[in-house]
Amino acid sequence: QVQLVESGGGSVQAGGSLRLSCVVSGFRFSSACMAWFRQPLGKEREGVAKLRSAGSTTYADSVKGRFTITKDNAKNTLYLQMNILNDEDTAMYYCAATAGTWCPGWNYFTYWGQGTQVTVSS
């Protein structure tokens, strides 16, 4: 069974940091395109960071220079290091994966985690 289990969310003051983790199973993690999405309350879900199997990354403009997406293939774990958090980063964060390796945009993700809440206070 395909599973993506997230952890690491919580409440943090503006300017602080959090690291989200996503342990995956049931598919070829090393070959998949992985991503983090977020959905602020009352808003549409948006792509935050994307990591292709070959190692290239894509970040939303709002998080460039602050967030870093990485993975550990040996541990089947995806990470999102979030630094210099601000109020606009408050959202439910989701780990996502493609069934294959094709992910030129943000619309090819079919596997999803349960979400972990990140709340940034000012």
Side-chain angles (χ1 to χ4, degrees):
Q1 297 290 330
V2 174
Q3 287 190 320
L4 291 76
V5 181
E6 298 158 299
S7 62
S11 182
V12 65
Q13 291 186 339
S17 299
L18 284 174
R19 187 185 71 170
L20 306 183
S21 298
C22 175
V23 179
V24 305
S25 61
F27 66 98
R28 292 185 177 274
F29 177 64
S30 62
S31 300
C33 189
M34 303 295 301
W36 289 95
F37 289 76
R38 68 185 182 187
Q39 186 169 21
L41 186 64
K43 297 184 177 180
E44 294 288 333
R45 185 178 62 199
E46 63 177 347
V48 175
K50 180 166 59 180
L51 176 62
R52 302 171 185 84
S53 60
S56 62
T57 58
T58 300
Y59 295 96
D61 288 342
S62 60
V63 307
K64 285 181 179 177
R66 300 188 298 118
F67 289 14
T68 304
I69 184 172
T70 59
K71 67 175 180 177
D72 187 334
N73 286 332
K75 296 181 178 179
N76 286 348
T77 302
L78 181 74
Y79 303 97
L80 183 67
Q81 180 66 47
M82 305 184 294
N83 298 325
I84 321 176
L85 288 161
N86 59 60
D87 293 350
E88 285 66 48
D89 296 319
T90 294
M92 184 71 74
Y93 283 73
Y94 298 93
C95 173
T98 60
T101 61
W102 183 252
C103 57
W106 299 96
N107 299 320
Y108 291 86
F109 295 89
T110 57
Y111 302 137
W112 297 87
Q114 78 285 356
T116 185
Q117 178 68 38
V118 172
T119 302
V120 183
S121 62
S122 58

